[in-house]
Amino acid sequence: EAGVAQSPRYKIIEKRQSVAFWCNPISGHATLYWYQQILGQGPKLLIQFQNNGVVDDSQLPKDRFSAERLKGVDSTLKIQPAKLEDSAVYLCASSLAQVDGYTFGSGTRLTVV
Amino acid sequence: AQTVTQSQPEMSVQEAETVTLSCTYDTSESDYYLFWYKQPPSRQMILVIRQEAYKQQNATENRFSVNFQKAAKSFSLKISDSQLGDAAMYFCAYRRGNDMRFGAGTRLTVKP
């Protein structure tokens, strides 16, 4: 079984620029999550999709962050404009059922300078 | 809101010895799931072990076992016969429905 794919692996941008991250979950996993992990902290949920619908985006800074999951498969997370405090690892995860743990991708490390 | 607390930012263990990582959580629910994840420098979060709250029996996966104390809301991870490859960040997580919360993590160092 292929894992959760994420790209790019690293990204360095200047503040006020825009950036996009891509995620391809495990085939058949209806639920997809984007997490932000700041250095030294645990992952924090940004947004959760069930198929192509948003289930929870209460912690997504909607003035600068946006995400979509077209056709209920791949997902894209965008930041525009980026701030220094957005520097973090952005993890994508998917799950099959509520009893399961999540399967995570390797994440994208974003550095905003 | 559910919170997960890992009170040990760093732990160290000698190779082949046993180490226990602590985790407490706060919830008013009775039906939920608890997890321990390992995050090596590669950054990928790897599921180590899972515990269903309705089960009294502690989960075990090879060298990894948990001590689940539901009344105390405690969920510690025991690693036996520690190996160099066990060195990583370990995160405790609480899940109810589609809501999973993580602790701040414990960095485990394994000394040869």
Side-chain angles (χ1 to χ4, degrees):
Chain A
E1 170 180 83
V4 176
Q6 287 190 249
S7 67
R9 188 152 174 82
Y10 301 92
K11 190 73 177 178
I12 300 174
I13 62 172
E14 296 182 349
K15 60 183 179 183
R16 291 188 289 274
Q17 285 187 325
S18 63
V19 64
F21 312 126
W22 173 82
C23 173
N24 187 337
I26 291 176
S27 177
H29 281 196
T31 312
L32 183 148
Y33 312 82
W34 283 102
Y35 279 83
Q36 180 192 57
Q37 186 179 19
I38 293 174
L39 185 64
Q41 300 181 16
K44 183 187 82 172
L45 179 68
L46 291 176
I47 189 167
Q48 175 190 326
F49 291 94
Q50 182 75 20
N51 295 309
N52 61 350
V54 176
V55 174
D56 182 359
D57 64 356
S58 58
Q59 298 191 79
L60 187 74
K62 299 180 186 63
D63 58 333
R64 298 184 300 105
F65 285 65
S66 65
E68 60 183 8
R69 191 183 183 195
L70 300 177
K71 301 180 181 178
V73 182
D74 294 9
S75 178
T76 303
L77 176 69
K78 297 179 181 178
I79 307 175
Q80 181 180 10
K83 293 185 176 181
L84 296 177
E85 58 261 37
D86 298 333
S87 294
V89 174
Y90 290 84
L91 294 165
C92 179
S94 67
S95 70
L96 182 61
Q98 292 190 0
V99 301
D100 296 331
Y102 299 173
T103 301
F104 284 84
S106 295
T108 296
R109 180 180 297 280
L110 173 67
T111 303
V112 182
V113 298
Chain B
Q2 293 81 13
T3 58
V4 180
T5 303
Q6 293 179 250
S7 59
Q8 306 154 316
E10 296 184 358
M11 290 286 284
S12 178
V13 63
Q14 202 71 34
E15 193 177 5
E17 296 295 310
T18 296
V19 64
T20 299
L21 308 184
S22 301
C23 173
T24 59
Y25 57 95
D26 180 31
T27 183
S28 57
E29 306 292 342
S30 60
D31 184 20
Y32 50 88
Y33 297 85
L34 297 165
F35 304 87
W36 277 98
Y37 280 89
K38 171 185 177 180
Q39 188 178 42
S42 66
R43 299 199 305 259
Q44 186 162 12
M45 300 276 279
I46 302 165
L47 179 63
V48 174
I49 200 165
R50 179 183 75 190
Q51 175 78 42
E52 294 90 339
Y54 63 86
K55 288 187 177 179
Q56 291 186 333
Q57 185 175 6
N58 290 324
T60 299
E61 288 287 342
N62 301 312
R63 297 183 295 108
F64 299 88
S65 61
V66 298
N67 183 4
F68 174 47
Q69 301 290 328
K70 191 172 185 179
K73 298 178 184 176
S74 171
F75 183 61
S76 60
L77 174 70
K78 185 172 82 171
I79 306 174
S80 303
D81 186 26
S82 297
Q83 300 176 359
L84 295 178
D86 295 334
M89 285 290 292
Y90 286 82
F91 292 94
C92 176
Y94 165 102
R95 180 179 186 181
R96 174 171 167 77
N98 284 320
D99 184 11
M100 183 178 280
R101 305 294 176 104
F102 290 85
T106 297
R107 181 176 301 280
L108 178 66
T109 302
V110 181
K111 298 179 180 178

